[in-house]
């Protein structure tokens, strides 16, 4: 059985080899026949031409693709540069807008502060007027009581005192009573102080602190009004004693001002105005000739009382209000 199987397999192998040889012969014959076919040759040439053209087109396409990629990269770089420039400009615009807004906020705050200061100034002026009115009423009552105690006047005779009677000082009033003074009464003690302490020859005797701007401005002003230099005494920066009164001074735009009755007036106006000087407790005379008036004769009748001055002497409560306002 094995021999039969081997022989059968060998026969089949031989048959396959013969079939293979026959097929190879057919292929060779077919190839030889195609080599002599003109149409097939033309097709092969056309195919070769198309392949070359395709290769050229592929090369051109690759070149164009590379150029396009280069242009795209350049465009992207330009776009990025433009975006950075736009961001920078936007930052500058935002900074300018922020500065403008901050400036507007500061202006609004300053305007609000000015309004508050104006309102507080009006309130202080109103309170000062009320205090002065109450002070005058209290003084009138004290004068009336002092007159009753001194002269023994009957109540019927003093129920409706006249303006002159209310303004007339009592001969012997209590130490706490404040009586209105006439211009002559105000000038007498001031003239006495000026005649005893005023510097001779119109020389400025004030000694300033060179490191204090306010003090140097005061010294320069006293060079123009030397007859008042002996009345000034520096206590603290910006605070002075003028005669018997304490004053506050400050520099406004490089010029010295003095606070009188709740308002600041230029130093030259203060020193040149006798009313300001009198209300501040200094000498009322503005020249050495007026500093030593002749004493009135005992036989001379007393002058008629005059209305109170336009700027009355500030009370202790006025000083308190001024200090609070300054703070």
């Amino acid at each position: 059985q094995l021999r039969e199987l081997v022989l059968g397999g060998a026969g089949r192998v031989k048959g396959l080899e013969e079939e293979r040889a026959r097929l190879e012969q057919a292929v060779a014959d077919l190839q030889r026949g195609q080599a002599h076919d003109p149409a097939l040759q033309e097709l092969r040439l056309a195919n070769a031409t198309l392949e070359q053209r395709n290769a050229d087109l592929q090369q051109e396409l690759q070149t164009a693709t590379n150029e396009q990629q280069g242009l795209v990269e350049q465009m992207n770089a330009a776009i990025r540069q433009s975006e950075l420039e736009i961001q920078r400009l936007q930052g500058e615009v935002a900074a300018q807008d922020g500065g403008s807004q901050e400036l507007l906020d500061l202006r609004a705050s300053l305007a609000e502060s000015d309004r508050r200061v104006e309102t507080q100034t009006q309130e202080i002026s109103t309170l000062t007027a009320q205090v002065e009115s109450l002070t005058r009423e209290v003084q009138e009552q004290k004068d009336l009581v002092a007159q009753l105690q001194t002269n023994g006047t009957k109540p019927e005779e003093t129920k409706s005192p006249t303006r002159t009677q209310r303004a007339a000082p009592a001969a012997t009033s209590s130490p706490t009573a404040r009586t209105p003074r006439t211009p002559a009464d105000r000038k007498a003690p001031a003239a006495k102080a000026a005649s005893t302490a005023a510097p001779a020859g119109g020389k400025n005797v004030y000694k300033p602190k060179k490191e204090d701007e306010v003090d140097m401005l005061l010294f320069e002003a006293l060079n123009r009004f030397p007859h008042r230099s002996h009345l000034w005494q520096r206590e603290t920066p910006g605070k002075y004693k003028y005669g018997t009164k304490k004053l506050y001074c400050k520099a406004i735009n490089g010029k010295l001002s003095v606070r009188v009755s709740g308002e600041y007036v230029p130093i030259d106006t203060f020193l040149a105005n006798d009313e300001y000087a009198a209300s501040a407790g200094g000498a009322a005379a503005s020249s050495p000739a007026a500093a030593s008036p002749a004493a009135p004769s005992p036989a001379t009748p007393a002058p008629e009382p005059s209305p109170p001055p336009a700027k009355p002497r500030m009370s202790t409560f006025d000083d308190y209000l001024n200090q609070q306002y300054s703070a």
Side-chain angles (χ1 to χ4, degrees):
Q1 293 176 355
L2 290 173
R3 185 179 296 173
E4 291 176 356
L5 290 173
V6 169
L7 292 175
R12 286 194 296 272
V13 169
K14 186 177 179 179
L16 291 173
E17 288 177 354
E18 291 176 355
E19 183 67 21
R20 177 182 177 184
R22 186 181 62 82
L23 292 174
E24 289 178 354
Q25 184 65 33
V27 169
D29 296 338
L30 181 61
Q31 288 179 353
R32 283 194 299 272
Q34 290 176 352
H36 299 285
D37 191 355
L40 184 59
Q41 292 293 332
E42 291 179 0
L43 289 176
R44 287 179 177 176
L45 291 174
N47 186 24
T49 303
L50 291 175
E51 289 179 355
Q52 183 64 33
R53 181 61 177 169
N54 187 23
D56 295 340
L57 291 176
Q58 291 290 339
Q59 184 67 28
E60 293 178 0
L61 180 61
Q62 184 66 31
T63 303
T65 303
N66 294 334
E67 292 178 356
Q68 185 178 4
Q69 289 180 354
L71 292 175
V72 170
E73 290 178 357
Q74 292 178 2
M75 186 179 297
N76 291 333
I79 291 173
R80 287 193 295 271
Q81 186 68 23
S82 299
E83 290 177 351
L84 293 175
E85 185 68 17
I86 290 172
Q87 291 178 359
R88 184 183 66 80
L89 293 176
Q90 288 178 350
E92 293 180 358
V93 171
Q96 292 178 359
D97 292 341
S100 301
Q101 185 64 34
E102 184 178 359
L103 181 59
L104 292 176
D105 294 341
L106 288 175
R107 289 179 178 175
S109 300
L110 288 175
E112 183 64 23
S113 300
D114 292 340
R115 286 194 293 271
R116 287 200 300 267
V117 169
E118 184 177 359
T119 302
Q120 292 177 358
T121 303
Q122 293 176 357
E123 293 177 356
I124 290 175
S125 300
T126 303
L127 290 175
T128 303
Q130 293 177 358
V131 170
E132 291 177 356
S133 177
L134 291 174
T135 303
R136 286 194 296 269
E137 292 179 3
V138 171
Q139 185 61 41
E140 291 175 359
Q141 295 295 331
K142 287 183 179 180
D143 292 343
L144 180 59
V145 171
Q147 187 177 2
L148 289 173
Q149 292 177 352
T150 303
N151 300 332
T153 308
K154 294 181 180 181
E156 292 80 2
E157 298 175 357
T158 59
K159 284 182 179 179
S160 302
T162 62
R163 183 181 180 88
T164 304
Q165 291 174 346
R166 289 197 301 268
T172 56
S173 60
S174 62
T176 59
R178 293 178 58 191
T179 59
R181 298 183 299 172
T182 64
D185 296 333
R186 290 195 301 271
K187 289 181 180 180
K192 182 178 179 181
S195 63
T196 56
K203 182 180 179 182
N204 184 4
V205 297
Y206 184 76
K207 303 298 182 182
K209 298 286 185 180
K210 294 184 179 180
E211 65 275 8
D212 190 345
E213 178 187 5
V214 173
D215 213 30
M216 291 302 298
L217 291 175
L218 176 61
F219 177 73
E220 294 176 0
L222 292 177
N223 285 334
R224 298 187 291 272
F225 300 90
H227 59 283
R228 298 195 191 277
S229 61
H230 64 288
L231 299 171
W232 290 84
Q233 182 179 357
R234 182 179 184 273
E235 294 185 348
T236 58
K239 184 177 180 181
Y240 294 86
K241 187 175 182 182
Y242 180 71
T244 59
K245 190 68 175 179
K246 292 183 179 180
L247 297 177
Y248 293 90
C249 302
K250 70 176 182 178
I252 302 177
N253 296 329
K255 296 182 180 180
L256 187 64
S257 297
V258 185
R259 191 175 69 191
V260 180
S261 299
E263 61 179 2
Y264 280 92
V265 297
I267 184 64
D268 289 353
T269 304
F270 176 83
L271 295 174
N273 194 320
D274 292 342
E275 289 295 335
Y276 280 135
S279 65
S286 60
S287 63
S292 302
S297 174
T300 304
E304 289 294 331
S306 62
K311 292 186 178 293
R313 182 186 180 88
M314 292 193 298
S315 62
T316 304
F317 189 70
D318 292 331
D319 294 339
Y320 171 76
L321 288 177
N322 291 332
Q323 292 175 1
Q324 294 297 322
Y325 179 67
S326 298

